[in-house]
Amino acid sequence: QVQLVESGGGSVQAGGSLTLSCAVSGMRFSPACMGWFRQAPRNEREGVAFIDREGRTPYADSVKGRFTISKDNNKNTLYLQMHGLRPEDTNMYYCAASPYVSCGRDPNPSVFSNWGQGTQVTVSV
């Protein structure tokens, strides 16, 4: 059974940094695409950053230059380094994996079959 477990969320002041981690277990092969989404209550789930098997990393325009996605295949862990955090980055952040469908430019949440439980990021002014 595939499991994704996020960690690293928390509360920071604007301008601060956090690094989210997503530990993956039970996946027998490297997924075509992994990434991070975020969602606030009553809002749609928004794609943040993604990474495919070839290492390509599409980002949402709102986080380009501030967030960096990476993965450690030896540790089966996905990361999201977040710098220059803003109050509008406050959200629940979810790790997701798409075993067979590649990331593309703007991945749709529907192609991701595996999700973590989420980790809260709160940025105060």
Side-chain angles (χ1 to χ4, degrees):
Q1 183 178 356
V2 176
Q3 283 192 317
L4 282 66
V5 180
E6 302 98 334
S7 60
S11 298
V12 296
Q13 289 189 321
S17 300
L18 284 173
T19 296
L20 306 183
S21 300
C22 173
V24 182
S25 61
M27 194 165 284
R28 291 178 290 176
F29 55 88
S30 179
C33 180
M34 290 200 69
W36 294 92
F37 289 84
R38 61 188 183 186
Q39 186 174 24
R42 297 180 296 278
N43 286 354
E44 290 186 359
R45 195 160 287 192
E46 174 193 11
V48 177
F50 303 91
I51 186 166
D52 65 14
R53 288 196 189 108
E54 290 73 33
R56 289 176 292 227
T57 55
Y59 291 91
D61 288 342
S62 58
V63 306
K64 281 180 182 175
R66 299 189 298 123
F67 291 11
T68 302
I69 189 170
S70 62
K71 61 179 178 177
D72 185 330
N73 290 327
N74 291 328
K75 295 183 179 179
N76 293 325
T77 302
L78 182 73
Y79 301 98
L80 184 67
Q81 294 178 308
M82 305 184 293
H83 300 290
L85 283 162
R86 304 167 180 168
E88 55 264 38
D89 294 317
T90 295
N91 267 295
M92 185 72 81
Y93 283 72
Y94 298 89
C95 171
S98 169
Y100 306 108
V101 181
S102 188
C103 295
R105 187 172 176 272
D106 186 13
N108 191 300
S110 65
V111 307
F112 292 81
S113 55
N114 305 106
W115 292 84
Q117 81 289 349
T119 186
Q120 178 69 36
V121 171
T122 302
V123 185
S124 58
V125 298

